[in-house]
Amino acid sequence: MRSLRWRSWPRRVLGLWRSSLEFRTIAITVILSGIAVTVIGASISISISNNIYEQRRQQIESESQRATVLAQSIFDSATATEDNNQVELDGLQNQAQSAILSSTSSPGGTSIAILRSPGQTTSQTIQNIASPDFPNSAISKELRAAVEKNTDSLHFQAVSLSTSQGTQPGLAVGSTLDVPTAGQYELYLVYDLSDAQKTLDFMQQTLAIGSIALVLLIAAITYVVVRLVVGPIRVAAETSEKIAAGHLEERIPEAGQDVIATLGRSFNGMADAMQRQIEQLADLSRMQQRFVSDVSHELRTPLTTIRLAGDLLFDNRDGFDAPSARTAELLHTQVDRFELLLADLLEISRFDAGAVELEIEPVVLVHLVEESVEEFGPLAASAGSQISVDGRGGYFEAEVDPRRVRRVLRNLLGNAIEHGEGRTIVVTVDSNAEAVAIAVDDHGVGMSPESVERVFDRFWRADPSRQRSIGGTGLGLSISREDAQLHGGRLEVRSALGIGTRFVVTLPRTHGALILSSPIGVDWPDADAAALDRPVLEGGAS
């Protein structure tokens, strides 16, 4: 589990990087300031380290020079007054060692060694002596060779000293002493630089802590600044989302005279203009709806009179001459179509006004489908089509408005007969635990992708030159989609030129339930995959 969590961190950081302007700004600032502080801190650390080392080296050089002169003077002064023997030389050696140690003041401590230069033959010698803690390994062959070769100067070599606290830096200094009657000796002083290293470590630690604190301070300042800048932008985004959701009165608070305040005033001005235009369009839409509703209602009375007169003429057409009888038949047909158009307009106006209600009752959809198929049987036969019903899972009850479902079926069956080119029409009914669905398939001319996009528009026709054979009004599919949405369902369409069209209406089995999946897909189960590569248009609430 921990490994999975660690693996998900990069994705989370990447998602935060893409979605948060604050995070990107702060991260970039911290990275760049961290690089700058690291470079500056490293430069300062190197400079201080070099200065500390140079100062200690100068101090050590001065002390070593003084110690060499002091030791040489001890040997020179003693031999000027006395005729030295071996015991006296050993005493002078101890005296020189004590004088050297007392003359050095290195905080880390100093180790001393007096070694006889190799390759000499003298009448007398003094023993090699060294401090108890003298690091013999610190005196390299290279250093001894340099001291032996150049006896008039000091020679330095950086060394590492092993102590109880670990390895510490040190500096070894070599010079020569001339001891009368005993020959040449080499003086080695090893200085412990742990005090300088501690000072440098403390300085570097302080510099590191200060650098981290500086980067954190820069990050905090950047966060505050970004909040001041991004905050108004976030408010503008939230306000625009509320306006998009329909809360047209939402505005950005205006304060100050800076650029952010100017942005707020400009945004509010744009929102005011949009609100006025939307309200004007809403008022115009309400006027249009009211006009359609009023006209539809006002036409009912004269249409009733025309219907009575038309029926009277139609019933007595046998007594008319041929042209008059044909006129009476045409009048009767057009009055029927006008009544249907007026009923559709009234229904559309009710949908627009939100004044429609469902009359829910338990219904077996297969029975509704069979009734509608039986009603359209003669019309389908006259068009050369045959309607078959596959009620595989439609025998469960569903809470629907049967009148509206019948109207949807009539519209879909009429559309299939109209465009089915005399081929077989298949009606499929199926259900699952949450929904019922009805699919109407024809194998006619089909529709182009552009026509599929507009198939539910009011008064729209895929082929304006095509004559209607069953007297449709151009509102049937639009009303069918509204009926499906009123049930909490959806109406979908899939079509391809030369293959046919499939309409699928999906309704919840229980009124008010949410549809998660449709029992019938909008794709043809046995269609060619290449032919199915067409747009799908969905109308309704999922």
Side-chain angles (χ1 to χ4, degrees):
M1 291 297 293
R2 291 184 177 179
S3 61
L4 293 177
R5 291 179 181 176
W6 279 109
R7 292 177 182 176
S8 65
W9 269 108
R11 291 194 299 270
R12 295 180 182 179
V13 173
L14 182 59
L16 190 60
W17 175 273
R18 292 176 176 174
S19 62
S20 176
L21 176 61
E22 295 180 37
F23 178 77
R24 287 200 305 272
T25 304
I26 295 174
I28 292 173
T29 302
V30 169
I31 292 173
L32 294 180
S33 61
I35 294 174
V37 169
T38 300
V39 172
I40 295 173
S43 301
I44 294 175
S45 177
I46 293 173
S47 177
I48 293 176
S49 176
N50 292 335
N51 289 335
I52 291 177
Y53 176 77
E54 188 61 28
Q55 289 179 0
R56 289 291 286 122
R57 187 180 185 281
Q58 292 177 0
Q59 178 186 1
I60 290 172
E61 182 179 4
S62 176
E63 290 185 0
S64 299
Q65 186 69 40
R66 187 170 57 250
T68 302
V69 173
L70 179 61
Q72 187 64 55
S73 64
I74 291 175
F75 285 115
D76 291 342
S77 62
T79 57
T81 58
E82 300 181 15
D83 187 10
N84 294 316
N85 54 36
Q86 185 63 43
V87 176
E88 291 173 345
L89 287 177
D90 292 339
L92 291 174
Q93 184 184 38
N94 293 331
Q95 182 182 354
Q97 180 182 8
S98 300
I100 291 172
L101 291 176
S102 62
S103 66
T104 58
S105 58
S106 176
T110 306
S111 298
I112 181 175
I114 300 177
L115 306 177
R116 180 177 175 82
S117 297
Q120 298 182 88
T121 302
T122 58
S123 59
Q124 292 182 324
T125 61
I126 57 176
Q127 296 296 323
N128 294 339
I129 63 170
S131 302
D133 56 349
F134 186 84
N136 293 318
S137 60
I139 307 304
S140 65
K141 295 180 179 180
E142 292 78 9
L143 179 60
R144 295 205 64 176
V147 171
E148 182 181 356
K149 182 178 180 180
N150 190 353
T151 60
D152 296 332
S153 60
L154 300 178
H155 299 274
F156 299 87
Q157 184 180 53
V159 296
S160 296
L161 304 178
S162 299
T163 65
S164 59
Q165 298 178 353
T167 302
Q168 300 293 338
L171 188 64
V173 183
S175 61
T176 59
L177 297 174
D178 289 326
V179 181
T181 70
Q184 180 178 290
Y185 283 77
E186 299 168 3
L187 172 63
Y188 293 100
L189 301 174
V190 178
Y191 294 87
D192 188 351
L193 301 182
S194 59
D195 61 315
Q197 185 62 45
K198 290 180 181 178
T199 303
L200 182 60
D201 292 342
F202 177 77
M203 180 277 301
Q204 291 177 338
Q205 182 180 5
T206 304
L207 188 61
I209 295 174
S211 299
I212 295 174
L214 179 60
V215 172
L216 294 178
L217 179 61
I218 293 175
I221 295 174
T222 304
Y223 175 76
V224 173
V225 174
V226 171
R227 289 282 296 182
L228 292 176
V229 175
V230 175
I233 298 177
R234 182 181 292 110
V235 172
E238 293 174 352
T239 304
S240 63
E241 291 177 356
K242 292 179 181 178
I243 292 176
H247 303 284
L248 301 179
E249 70 284 351
E250 290 291 332
R251 295 294 182 271
I252 297 177
E254 301 177 12
Q257 300 295 326
D258 54 13
V259 177
I260 300 299
T262 303
L263 173 63
R265 286 190 291 270
S266 300
F267 182 92
N268 291 339
M270 178 188 67
D272 292 337
M274 290 178 57
Q275 183 178 8
R276 287 193 297 269
Q277 293 179 1
I278 292 174
E279 290 176 349
Q280 290 175 0
L281 292 174
D283 293 339
L284 179 60
S285 177
R286 284 192 293 269
M287 291 176 60
Q288 292 175 342
Q289 295 172 11
R290 182 65 180 270
F291 174 78
V292 172
S293 178
D294 292 345
V295 169
S296 300
H297 282 87
E298 292 297 329
L299 287 177
R300 293 185 67 87
T301 299
L303 181 61
T304 302
T305 303
I306 295 173
R307 161 60 71 185
L308 293 175
D311 288 345
L312 181 61
L313 293 175
F314 183 77
D315 292 339
N316 295 282
R317 67 186 182 281
D318 295 337
F320 300 155
D321 54 45
S324 299
R326 178 58 180 165
T327 301
E329 292 174 355
L330 291 175
L331 177 63
H332 183 269
T333 301
Q334 294 303 318
V335 168
D336 286 342
R337 184 176 180 183
F338 189 66
E339 281 188 328
L340 181 60
L341 175 61
L342 185 60
D344 286 347
L345 287 173
L346 286 172
E347 188 67 14
I348 285 291
S349 66
R350 294 190 190 99
F351 277 117
D352 291 339
V356 291
E357 293 182 359
L358 292 174
E359 297 178 1
I360 299 296
E361 60 181 78
V363 175
V364 178
L365 287 187
V366 170
H367 296 165
L368 290 182
V369 170
E370 291 173 345
E371 293 173 3
S372 299
V373 169
E374 183 178 358
E375 177 185 349
F376 277 83
L379 182 60
S382 65
S385 297
Q386 181 180 358
I387 305 177
S388 63
V389 178
D390 179 5
R392 63 186 69 169
Y395 292 93
F396 296 97
E397 288 187 345
E399 298 179 358
V400 297
D401 186 336
R403 179 178 67 86
R404 297 185 182 278
V405 174
R406 285 192 184 95
R407 180 164 61 192
V408 172
L409 289 172
R410 292 193 189 100
N411 287 324
L412 297 182
L413 288 172
N415 185 77
I417 295 172
E418 180 79 25
H419 302 282
E421 298 293 312
R423 298 185 178 92
T424 301
I425 298 170
V426 180
V427 182
T428 307
V429 188
D430 204 350
S431 62
N432 56 24
E434 61 199 24
V436 292
I438 303 172
V440 179
D441 295 301
D442 69 68
H443 301 83
V445 294
M447 292 182 290
S448 65
E450 294 77 13
S451 299
V452 172
E453 294 292 334
R454 300 193 58 191
V455 71
F456 294 114
D457 292 351
R458 299 175 184 179
F459 298 108
W460 183 82
R461 299 177 63 185
D463 185 2
S465 63
R466 187 183 182 92
Q467 297 294 324
R468 296 184 187 272
S469 61
I470 59 176
T473 64
L475 294 172
L477 290 178
S478 178
I479 292 176
S480 297
R481 181 177 65 173
E482 297 286 352
D483 284 333
Q485 292 176 347
L486 190 62
H487 282 83
R490 59 178 179 261
L491 178 59
E492 300 169 287
V493 59
R494 185 74 178 264
S495 184
L497 289 174
I499 296 179
T501 303
R502 160 173 274 204
F503 283 93
V504 179
V505 56
T506 306
L507 306 174
R509 289 185 58 178
T510 303
H511 179 60
L514 181 65
I515 299 177
L516 299 179
S517 62
S518 177
I520 302 177
V522 74
D523 290 334
W524 291 286
D526 56 349
D528 182 72
L532 289 178
D533 191 15
R534 298 290 190 275
V536 178
L537 186 65
E538 176 182 326
S542 58

